[in-house]
Amino acid sequence: MPASTFTISQLAKEFDLTTRAIRFYEDMGLLTPERAGLQRVYSARDRARLTLTLRAKRLGLSLTEAKDILDMYDSPRDTVPQLEKFLGVLGAHRAQLEAQLTELQANLAEVREHEKKGRATLAKAQKAIKGSKTTKQVRPARPNKALKAPKAAEASA
């Protein structure tokens, strides 16, 4: 096989993917390998598309969005519609991430408030326990009347 082609195993190893994941990308139309009998033969173009697909995933784009963007570059159109589509997808994704971030920040603020209240309650409980131990140590022990011998008995003995 020429150096500009790859087997599914080579791509899987290079990108730390399973062969099943690569076949899934093929089923989604992201990759279009040639066939040599039953073996898939991936071109440098397929490798580049796989690289861009994984980059799009890291950005949080869906595979469908990644495919739409990649397919634009295969079409004979000019770059203006391609860039408009790309910026539209990225803008929508950014807005979604910002909404999630706002929600996460609100959740973090709520968790911090519960932690603060929990710490204050714990400190009060620990102080109360410490205070009760201190109080017990300071109080003089009360004599037990049942164990105390009568004074008259002590004198005669």
Side-chain angles (χ1 to χ4, degrees):
M1 234 178 256
S4 61
T5 61
F6 308 90
T7 66
I8 194 169
S9 298
Q10 288 171 323
L11 290 178
K13 184 177 180 180
E14 179 181 351
F15 292 99
D16 194 26
L17 297 170
T18 63
T19 56
R20 185 176 180 162
I22 294 173
R23 286 191 300 271
F24 178 73
Y25 294 150
E26 182 182 341
D27 291 342
M28 293 286 298
L30 290 158
L31 306 173
T32 53
E34 299 288 326
R35 299 280 180 167
L38 294 176
Q39 187 177 21
R40 291 169 170 86
V41 180
Y42 294 89
S43 65
R45 176 187 174 276
D46 289 316
R47 185 184 173 284
R49 285 179 67 95
L50 181 57
T51 301
L52 293 171
T53 298
L54 296 174
R55 186 174 298 156
K57 276 186 61 180
R58 279 194 306 273
L59 287 172
L61 300 177
S62 71
L63 291 178
T64 304
E65 291 169 326
K67 182 182 181 321
D68 289 345
I69 291 168
L70 290 173
D71 287 347
M72 284 189 300
Y73 288 96
D74 290 339
S75 67
R77 294 182 256 169
D78 64 6
T79 59
V80 171
Q82 294 167 348
L83 287 172
E84 287 173 345
K85 171 74 174 175
F86 180 65
L87 290 172
V89 168
L90 285 180
H93 185 64
R94 179 188 38 76
Q96 180 186 11
L97 288 174
E98 287 172 346
Q100 289 174 344
L101 179 60
T102 300
E103 187 175 329
L104 283 172
Q105 288 172 333
N107 287 341
L108 277 171
E110 187 176 342
V111 166
R112 286 184 184 113
E113 185 60 30
H114 285 294
E115 282 180 324
K116 184 178 175 181
K117 288 178 181 178
R119 284 189 186 101
T121 303
L122 177 62
K124 286 179 184 178
Q126 288 172 332
K127 188 175 180 180
I129 290 171
K130 188 176 180 180
S132 68
K133 286 181 182 177
T134 305
T135 305
K136 287 180 183 177
Q137 291 173 357
V138 172
R139 287 186 195 159
R142 293 183 184 173
N144 189 339
K145 293 180 181 179
L147 295 177
K148 195 171 184 182
K151 289 185 182 182
E154 286 176 16
S156 62

